């Protein structure tokens, strides 16, 4: 019985690609992806050229491609990089634009909203920062696509559990992986990681111990009853009783207090003076701390409250050396290129190993004679010590610990 298969919409083949050279590890990653039937995750550290690798995959496959990125900043960054190697028109979905072509870049949110109309128009999906998928409603974006070829890019994939399994089903398994220490000194700048353990004041120690005791009493009882539960389970349970709500409040006060202790403030000033000739990035656990540092040291803050035009202007001035330091809680974690930066000061973090790997990667864009320095400020004899150890797992064991 005659039939017509119209699952994949007809469309023009992307033309206008110019060849590009890949580094040996990028070439190996691309070959591994090809051998895996063009489905899978490529795990490479920040600064190693994941975008260029993806463009190489598009150029060789000549498939109609939808590139998914988490932010509007990355949307424009990807379009700029694509235009260097592709002379055809580049579509854009997000930040107020809706233009669809054979090669299109979209934010996650815009793709989610429009995939019902776009799902059969592309043969390849490239997912930047792919670790955002696997555990949320936005997974429907990939479910609604008929693209057989899928390439996920990330520096920090989920390692186990439901999210890892779900991501493998949506994009494919990890087909190639290198860590930061595999590339430093050759393709990435080498770096020194210095952990500075700082004491709390008497007042800070008393307040910390009081809040920690209040939190632990409730949390340990919950863990006894539900040993396999996660933090979200605990938060839901605790919010249902006055005692539990007070425990959550104590935890928030504790984290806020550790975010910017008196010792951290003093040491930050010393480091800023010591590296006055360098380009510095200061990372904090929250926007409140970022603004406090901005006021105290007259450093440009980069937060979600800063508009795109002002943020682009600040990044350009940082690149020219007119601004020597930026302070941020989250904005600089993913995607933004700051190749001029050579010193980072991690005052605090909130998202663990993944966040730390991304932050260190901001400094490792290669340059002639460059050796980056990363300072991590940790409050001694607090939960920060254990959290700092977990954050460094993705970097290897090169960090010296200074008392």
């Amino acid at each position: 019985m005659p039939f017509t298969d119209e699952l994949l919409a007809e469309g023009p083949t992307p033309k206008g690609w110019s060849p590009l050279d890949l580094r040996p590890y990028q070439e190996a990653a691309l070959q591994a992806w090809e051998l895996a039937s063009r489905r899978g995750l490529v795990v490479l550290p920040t600064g190693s050229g994941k975008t260029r690798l993806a463009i190489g995959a598009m150029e060789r496959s000549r498939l109609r491609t939808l590139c998914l990125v988490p932010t509007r900043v990355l949307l424009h960054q990807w379009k700029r990089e694509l235009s260097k190697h592709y002379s055809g028109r580049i579509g854009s979905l997000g930040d107020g634009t809706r233009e669809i072509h054979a090669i299109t870049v979209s934010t996650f949110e815009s793709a989610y909203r429009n995939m019902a109309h776009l799902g059969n128009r592309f043969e390849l999906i490239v997912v930047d920062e792919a670790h955002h998928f696997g555990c949320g409603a936005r997974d429907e974006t990939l479910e609604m696509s008929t693209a057989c070829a899928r390439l996920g890019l990330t520096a920090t994939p989920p390692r186990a559990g439901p999210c890892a399994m779900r991501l493998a089903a949506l994009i494919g398994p990890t087909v190639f992986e290198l860590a930061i220490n595999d590339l430093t000194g050759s393709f990435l700048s080498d770096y020194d990681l210095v952990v500075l353990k700082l004491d709390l004041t008497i007042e800070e120690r008393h307040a910390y111990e009081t809040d920690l005791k209040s939190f632990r009493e409730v949390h340990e009882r919950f863990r006894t009853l539900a040993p396999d539960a996660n933090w979200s389970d605990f938060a839901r349970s605790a919010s249902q009783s006055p005692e539990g709500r007070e425990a959550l409040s104590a935890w928030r006060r504790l984290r806020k207090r550790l975010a910017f202790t008196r010792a951290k403030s003093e040491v930050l000033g010393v480091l800023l003076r010591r590296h006055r000739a360098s380009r510095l990035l200061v990372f904090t656990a929250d926007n409140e701390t970022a603004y406090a540092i901005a006021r105290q040291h007259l450093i440009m803050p980069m937060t979600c409250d800063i508009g795109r035009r002002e943020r682009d202007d600040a990044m350009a001035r940082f690149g020219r050396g007119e601004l020597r330091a930026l302070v941020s809680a989250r904005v600089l974690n993913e995607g933004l290129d700051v190749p001029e930066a050579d010193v980072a000061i991690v005052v605090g973090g909130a998202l663990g190993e993944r966040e730390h790997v991304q932050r260190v990667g901001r400094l490792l864009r290669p340059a002639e004679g460059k050796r980056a320095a990363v300072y991590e400020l940790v409050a001694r004899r607090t939960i920060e010590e254990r959290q700092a150890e977990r954050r460094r797992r993705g970097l290897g064991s090169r960090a010296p610990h200074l008392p």
Side-chain angles (χ1 to χ4, degrees):
M1 196 172 180
F3 69 93
T4 302
D5 184 355
E6 297 180 342
L7 179 63
L8 187 64
E10 295 292 331
T13 299
K15 297 179 179 179
W17 288 106
S18 58
L20 71 163
D21 295 326
L22 297 178
R23 295 170 177 172
Y25 65 87
Q26 293 171 327
E27 185 70 44
L30 187 53
Q31 291 180 10
W33 179 70
E34 292 275 4
L35 290 172
S37 302
R38 294 178 173 174
R39 285 183 71 94
L41 287 173
V42 171
V43 181
L44 290 172
T46 302
S48 59
K50 294 189 290 295
T51 303
R52 188 177 183 86
L53 165 66
I55 294 174
M58 294 182 235
E59 184 266 327
R60 295 188 190 182
S61 66
R62 304 299 170 102
L63 298 175
R64 285 172 282 151
T65 303
L66 177 64
C67 303
L68 303 182
V69 299
T71 65
R72 292 174 293 176
V73 174
L74 280 173
L75 173 80
H76 297 288
Q77 187 170 297
W78 268 76
K79 289 180 64 179
R80 285 195 301 270
E81 289 301 312
L82 281 165
S83 65
K84 297 176 183 178
H85 307 282
Y86 180 68
S87 60
R89 300 180 69 184
I90 300 173
S92 178
L93 194 59
D95 201 16
T97 62
R98 192 182 189 282
E99 190 175 354
I100 310 300
H101 296 292
I103 302 295
T104 297
V105 185
S106 171
T107 61
F108 290 169
E109 183 64 26
S110 294
Y112 174 72
R113 293 173 181 270
N114 292 278
M115 193 57 81
H117 309 290
L118 302 176
N120 67 337
R121 296 183 61 173
F122 297 96
E123 302 159 292
L124 166 63
I125 283 189
V126 175
V127 186
D128 194 15
E129 308 294 351
H131 53 267
H132 287 285
F133 287 90
C135 290
R138 297 298 181 267
D139 292 355
E140 292 183 12
T141 306
L142 302 180
E143 290 177 332
M144 291 191 288
S145 171
T146 62
C148 292
R150 302 186 176 207
L151 172 61
L153 307 171
T154 181
T156 52
R159 295 298 179 184
C163 289
M165 296 173 61
R166 183 76 174 128
L167 191 60
L170 292 169
I171 298 176
T174 297
V175 297
F176 188 87
E177 178 172 1
L178 289 176
I180 283 179
N181 290 346
D182 295 322
L183 298 177
T184 51
S186 53
F187 297 103
L188 295 178
S189 294
D190 213 338
Y191 70 100
D192 296 309
L193 177 58
V194 181
V195 180
L196 299 175
K197 295 187 177 182
L198 310 173
D199 290 317
L200 300 178
T201 65
I202 295 176
E203 294 80 7
E204 289 171 339
R205 173 62 62 185
H206 176 73
Y208 170 81
E209 296 294 347
T210 300
D211 284 335
L212 184 62
K213 180 180 179 181
S214 176
F215 166 77
R216 276 183 172 168
E217 288 176 352
V218 176
H219 185 252
E220 290 177 357
R221 282 203 302 268
F222 174 80
R223 295 290 294 175
T224 300
L225 297 174
D228 297 326
N230 56 30
W231 175 263
S232 297
D233 297 328
F234 169 70
R236 281 194 297 270
S237 174
S239 63
Q240 297 175 12
S241 69
E243 186 182 27
R245 289 191 290 271
E246 173 54 31
L248 292 174
S249 296
W251 178 257
R252 286 190 289 267
R253 290 194 301 268
L254 178 154
R255 294 294 300 271
K256 183 179 179 180
R257 190 171 291 110
L258 293 180
F260 196 43
T261 65
R262 184 178 300 177
K264 287 185 178 182
S265 177
E266 293 173 356
V267 170
L268 175 62
V270 172
L271 293 175
L272 290 174
R273 290 191 294 273
R274 176 182 298 176
H275 295 282
R276 61 170 59 90
S278 301
R279 309 282 182 86
L280 295 103
L281 300 178
V282 181
F283 294 104
T284 67
D286 51 59
N287 283 348
E288 183 178 349
T289 304
Y291 286 126
I293 292 173
R295 290 189 297 268
Q296 183 176 347
H297 297 284
L298 300 181
I299 297 176
M300 176 67 190
M302 298 289 283
T303 71
C304 57
D305 302 323
I306 306 298
R308 182 164 64 90
R309 182 176 299 178
E310 184 178 2
R311 184 164 53 196
D312 291 345
D313 177 67
M315 295 298 292
R317 293 171 62 196
F318 184 78
R320 295 192 298 266
E322 297 171 11
L323 293 175
R324 74 177 186 92
L326 302 172
V327 57
S328 171
R330 300 280 181 86
V331 168
L332 293 177
N333 285 356
E334 289 185 344
L336 286 179
D337 282 331
V338 279
E340 301 81 10
D342 55 0
V343 175
I345 304 171
V346 181
V347 176
L351 302 180
E353 176 187 336
R354 174 174 295 163
E355 177 184 64
H356 197 61
V357 170
Q358 291 167 338
R359 287 173 165 185
V360 172
R362 297 296 112 209
L363 269 70
L364 302 186
R365 305 283 181 182
E368 184 68 28
K370 178 179 177 180
R371 186 178 183 89
V374 181
Y375 294 92
E376 188 174 4
L377 310 186
V378 178
R380 194 195 307 272
R381 290 171 44 224
T382 70
I383 60 170
E384 278 198 339
E385 287 190 312
R386 187 171 63 255
Q387 292 170 345
E389 291 176 2
R390 289 201 298 264
R391 285 200 297 264
R392 290 189 295 273
R393 288 174 185 168
L395 304 179
S397 57
R398 60 164 59 218
H401 293 257
L402 301 187

